[in-house]
Amino acid sequence: MDSRSIAISSAALWMYGSHARGDADAESDLDLLVISEDGLDEGEVVSFAGLDSPRLSMSQYSWAEIRGMASYGSLFLQHIRLEGKCVKEGESVRGQLTGILESMPPYTRVVADVAGFRLALLDAKDSLEGNGSAAFEASVLATLLRHASILGCYISGFPSFGRIEPVRRIVRAWNLAPEIADRFPDLYSFRIREDQHRELLDSPSRAALDLWCEHIERVICRLEEDARDCKRRMSTAN
């Protein structure tokens, strides 16, 4: 058996995201987790999985990396455990990822993530103060709010990993301004266009971006409170 055959026999492909949930739309990529001891190129993945998608987005890791991520309850792997669907696994690793996911502990890097969100918001504000690109910062703010909301959903006990739904759930659960959820799809359209290298929309106004910064500030403040509570619970449990 040659080296490429060995690589494929030890590979696992799992679908996640909108196609796995069944709510994909025209803007959706086909998200694949690819685990292999040796990296597989897109052609090998498509051939192995029997998939045909014009927009394939691969997240590729080795088995050692996956085990390392699982050791701290990786939020990405929490996503895979909740919504992922096995596409194909090599004979030598069949069922291996399922076992890793089933034994995975809760996510342990909540406090560090929240601190990162705080720094990212400060960077975005500084860029806007320095006349940075409004369209680019709109993309950054959309990503920041989505990721903060995903974390908020997770630590609040109702995990959600979609494009828009985590923001909607956090707005409802935390009694935030309804306009945040109502207008978020428009903000996230800047992120989609940047990812797909499409022509940017008209730039949002500085006033609109300042308001988004205020909304995100409220979400981060709440996350900071919940993160402290989460850390205390983990300390007590240990």
Side-chain angles (χ1 to χ4, degrees):
M1 184 179 292
D2 62 33
S3 60
R4 301 319 294 163
S5 297
I6 293 172
I8 290 174
S9 71
S10 65
L13 307 183
W14 281 56
M15 182 189 306
Y16 65 98
S18 58
H19 283 273
R21 287 190 302 273
D23 59 6
D25 58 27
E27 305 289 357
S28 300
D29 293 336
L30 176 57
D31 297 307
L32 272 186
L33 167 61
V34 180
I35 311 173
S36 175
E37 291 309 320
D38 298 297
L40 302 180
D41 62 34
E42 185 170 322
E44 290 174 315
V45 169
V46 169
S47 176
F48 179 50
L51 296 171
D52 182 18
S53 172
R55 289 207 305 267
L56 186 62
S57 177
M58 298 193 304
S59 298
Q60 192 154 189
Y61 299 94
S62 69
W63 284 104
E65 287 172 324
I66 288 293
R67 291 188 188 94
M69 293 161 64
S71 69
Y72 61 83
S74 161
L75 204 56
F76 174 62
L77 292 184
Q78 301 289 351
H79 180 180
I80 301 298
R81 179 164 67 177
L82 180 68
E83 299 181 348
K85 296 184 182 299
C86 179
V87 176
K88 193 164 185 179
E89 294 178 324
E91 291 183 8
S92 65
V93 295
R94 194 156 294 158
Q96 192 163 300
L97 181 58
T98 297
I100 291 171
L101 296 176
E102 288 177 349
S103 61
M104 187 168 56
Y107 186 49
T108 60
R109 298 188 176 181
V110 173
V111 173
D113 279 1
V114 177
F117 295 153
R118 172 68 67 188
L119 287 175
L121 180 59
L122 290 175
D123 286 345
K125 288 180 177 179
D126 287 344
S127 178
L128 291 171
E129 289 289 344
N131 296 316
S133 165
F136 176 78
E137 294 308 330
S139 169
V140 170
L141 292 174
T143 303
L144 179 54
L145 180 53
R146 176 176 175 247
H147 287 179
S149 297
I150 286 172
L151 183 60
C153 287
Y154 176 78
I155 64 178
S156 296
F158 44 86
S160 178
F161 297 94
R163 185 193 305 160
I164 305 297
E165 186 61 23
V167 176
R168 290 177 178 153
R169 292 191 182 191
I170 283 299
V171 166
R172 290 195 300 266
W174 292 356
N175 295 316
L176 301 175
E179 67 185 60
I180 298 174
D182 293 342
R183 297 179 181 175
F184 182 67
D186 292 334
L187 182 69
Y188 203 78
S189 64
F190 289 93
R191 170 59 191 268
I192 292 172
R193 280 163 173 75
E194 182 184 337
D195 284 350
Q196 298 177 359
H197 306 290
R198 291 163 55 185
E199 183 179 353
L200 292 175
L201 302 171
D202 292 338
S203 295
S205 68
R206 173 62 189 276
L209 291 180
D210 285 344
L211 184 57
W212 278 113
C213 287
E214 291 177 13
H215 291 325
I216 294 170
E217 175 75 29
R218 293 189 185 95
V219 171
I220 292 175
C221 285
R222 172 62 185 266
L223 271 177
E224 287 170 337
E225 295 176 8
D226 287 1
R228 286 192 291 269
D229 291 341
C230 183
K231 186 176 182 180
R232 282 195 293 269
R233 289 196 302 271
M234 290 175 62
S235 298
T236 302
N238 293 331

